[in-house]
């Protein structure tokens, strides 16, 4: 359905026509039969973007599908867009606030020059990054892949997809950040840290020998002597991501692939150098990061990338986010490689006493 977002002048306000009940829709079609004279249904897209009033026709097509369309000679149809929830608006408010505090220009509901796409929040820094928050499943024909392609074609450098739903993140075929689920008061609280749990990774490259202590992907117990690459999750907060991505210190890898992810500029360069001259269609093509560990499989396959932390530039914040692999002891976390105890992540120096 195109033009699903409408304003109803009878007091119902902004409405998603695709979500109306059958009885409400049928009554709307009857009430809006003479649409320009009735002045009941107004295009929400045209009003929100340009404060232009277009009275819309409402009817069912030959296949029984709902149609909301402009009058002849008016603006063309708009793509499907879900109605904003309070949480969606709060996330966008947070992105705009953090971005402007960092010195970037932030534009809400920014429509591209070609009119084919618009972003929840567009942050303008060294790079133009379109932030998109996704709370509901993607609609057929208006999915993340199509919208990302349109944004990149509109000269936006990157699209930062973000969700707090594991189901949506798992179904997306683009690089997508997944955070912990936060309630509305937490999203609105600038002191509450929203942590990225997926879609942000670090890269490790090693030479396959017995000295490296990894399992060989080719099954050679003594190592195959080749150079291998693997990725592993690493930590960052949503606010730090917002601060860094428009500066070009964070970049997307395979943004139009299901296993795409974001990483630091240094790790992005390592990934690019490793794959120079290779035809890489997906992360699965060079390493399967979901393969189950197999004992006796050889030395080089890493069960985890221990003590390897990406070089993330320090941020101008009161407290930096401590990675899940670093010590959290002290008023200012010491940041040394750590293991998990009941009291939290602690290094050897700060580990809990056994006495």
């Amino acid at each position: 359905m195109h033009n699903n977002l409408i304003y109803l002048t009878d007091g119902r306000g902004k409405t998603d026509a695709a979500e109306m009940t059958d009885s409400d829709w049928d009554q709307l079609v009857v009430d809006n039969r003479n649409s320009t004279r009735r002045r009941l249904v107004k295009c929400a897209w045209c009003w929100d973007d340009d404060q232009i009033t277009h009275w819309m026709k409402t009817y069912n097509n030959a296949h029984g599908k709902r149609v909301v369309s402009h009058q002849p000679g008016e603006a063309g149809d708009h793509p499907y867009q879900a109605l904003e929830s309070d949480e969606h608006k709060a996330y966008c408010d947070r992105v705009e606030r953090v971005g402007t505090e960092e010195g970037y220009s932030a534009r809400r509901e920014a429509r591209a020059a070609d009119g084919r796409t618009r972003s929840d929040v567009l942050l303008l820094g060294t790079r133009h990054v379109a932030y998109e928050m996704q709370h509901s499943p993607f609609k057929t024909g208006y999915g993340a892949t199509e919208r990302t392609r349109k944004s990149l074609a509109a000269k936006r450098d990157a699209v930062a997809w973000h969700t707090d739903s594991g189901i949506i993140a798992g179904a997306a075929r683009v690089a997508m950040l997944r955070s912990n689920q936060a309630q509305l008061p937490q999203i609105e609280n600038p002191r509450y840290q929203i942590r990225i749990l997926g879609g942000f990774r670090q890269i490790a490259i090693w030479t396959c020998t017995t000295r490296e202590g990894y399992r060989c992907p080719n099954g050679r117990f003594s190592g195959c002597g080749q150079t291998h690459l693997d990725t592993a999750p690493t930590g960052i907060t949503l606010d730090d991501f917002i601060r860094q991505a428009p500066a070009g210190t964070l970049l997307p890898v395979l943004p139009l692939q299901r296993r795409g992810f974001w990483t630091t500029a240094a790790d992005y360069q390592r990934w690019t150098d490793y794959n120079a001259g290779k035809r890489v269609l997906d992360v699965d093509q060079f390493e399967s990061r979901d393969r189950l560990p197999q004992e006796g499989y050889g030395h080089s396959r890493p069960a985890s990338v221990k003590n390897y932390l990406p070089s993330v530039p320090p941020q101008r914040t009161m407290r930096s986010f401590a990675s899940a692999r670093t010590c959290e002891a002290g008023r200012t976390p010491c940041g040394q490689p750590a293991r998990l105890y009941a009291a939290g992540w602690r290094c050897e120096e700060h580990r809990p006493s056994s006495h």
Side-chain angles (χ1 to χ4, degrees):
M1 174 181 218
H2 293 291
N3 299 315
N4 60 299
L5 292 188
I6 55 177
Y7 278 111
L8 298 176
T9 59
D10 60 1
R12 283 180 282 180
K14 194 172 184 179
T15 303
D16 188 340
E19 302 298 330
M20 297 178 70
T21 65
D22 289 341
S23 59
D24 286 344
W25 170 257
D26 292 341
Q27 188 61 49
L28 180 66
V29 170
V30 173
D31 293 343
N32 193 48
R33 184 157 294 158
N34 191 340
S35 55
T36 54
R37 180 173 297 178
R38 179 68 173 84
R39 297 190 174 187
L40 173 62
V41 182
K42 180 167 66 173
C43 179
W45 296 76
C46 295
W47 179 254
D48 288 345
D49 288 349
D50 305 308
Q51 283 71 57
I52 294 176
T53 297
H54 283 153
W55 300 111
M56 309 295 284
K57 297 182 291 182
T58 51
Y59 57 94
N60 295 308
N61 64 15
H63 301 286
K65 300 294 184 180
R66 300 178 184 184
V67 178
V68 180
S69 68
H70 284 83
Q71 310 292 334
E74 293 180 349
D77 285 345
H78 305 298
Y80 184 94
Q81 179 70 32
L83 197 61
E84 269 191 9
S85 65
D86 292 338
E87 290 78 10
H88 184 283
K89 183 178 182 299
Y91 270 116
C92 293
D93 290 342
R94 185 167 186 138
V95 172
E96 182 179 19
R97 174 181 55 78
V98 174
T100 53
E101 287 176 354
E102 194 66 18
Y104 305 129
S105 174
R107 293 167 48 196
R108 295 286 290 268
E109 298 296 328
R111 184 177 293 279
D114 59 10
R116 299 180 61 196
T117 186
R118 65 178 179 177
S119 308
D120 288 338
V121 184
L122 181 64
L123 295 177
L124 306 178
T126 304
R127 290 167 60 83
H128 293 186
V129 178
Y131 172 87
E132 299 283 359
M133 177 63 201
Q134 192 68 24
H135 266 101
S136 57
F138 293 100
K139 298 292 183 179
T140 303
Y142 195 60
T145 303
E146 296 84 354
R147 291 163 63 181
T148 302
R149 286 199 181 102
K150 290 179 180 179
S151 290
L152 297 178
K155 309 302 181 184
R156 286 159 187 185
D157 296 303
V159 181
W161 286 99
H162 169 221
T163 185
D164 58 10
S165 166
I167 296 176
I168 294 175
R173 297 188 176 275
V174 294
M176 175 169 279
L177 302 167
R178 180 177 64 85
S179 69
N180 58 298
Q181 288 190 337
Q183 302 300 316
L184 182 60
Q186 296 170 323
I187 302 170
E188 295 174 334
N189 183 358
R191 295 185 178 182
Y192 181 80
Q193 290 187 338
I194 298 173
R195 300 194 177 194
I196 299 301
L197 306 178
F200 186 76
R201 304 181 72 84
Q202 60 188 5
I203 292 174
I205 299 176
W206 74 95
T207 302
C208 188
T209 66
T210 55
R211 290 188 299 273
E212 296 295 328
Y214 300 134
R215 294 182 184 141
C216 176
N218 298 323
R220 300 288 295 275
F221 185 80
S222 60
C224 64
Q226 299 179 15
T227 301
H228 301 298
L229 177 148
D230 200 7
T231 71
T234 189
I236 194 172
T237 63
L238 176 62
D239 290 358
D240 274 351
F241 178 88
I242 295 166
R243 295 184 183 101
Q244 294 181 58
T249 58
L250 303 179
L251 299 170
V253 174
L254 301 174
L256 288 168
Q257 296 291 342
R258 183 178 68 87
R259 291 185 177 273
F261 58 95
W262 284 78
T263 191
T264 65
D267 273 5
Y268 179 86
Q269 188 61 52
R270 291 159 63 85
W271 183 89
T272 302
D273 292 343
Y274 178 86
N275 291 289
K278 301 177 183 178
R279 185 171 179 264
V280 180
L281 297 179
D282 207 330
V283 176
D284 282 342
Q285 299 291 326
F286 57 89
E287 290 294 340
S288 175
R289 65 175 183 252
D290 294 328
R291 184 187 302 167
L292 294 174
Q294 300 178 33
E295 294 300 329
Y297 184 63
H299 285 294
S300 282
R301 171 81 180 162
S304 63
V305 189
K306 295 182 179 178
N307 300 331
Y308 182 84
L309 298 177
S311 176
V312 179
Q315 297 303 309
R316 299 193 296 274
T317 56
M318 294 297 293
R319 179 180 179 183
S320 298
F321 171 70
S323 170
R325 292 183 177 83
T326 59
C327 180
E328 300 172 328
R331 179 171 297 180
T332 301
C334 82
Q336 295 300 312
R339 59 179 294 184
L340 183 62
Y341 295 90
W345 292 90
R346 297 291 185 267
C347 64
E348 286 298 314
E349 180 181 355
H350 296 104
R351 67 179 181 176
S353 172
S354 59
H355 300 289

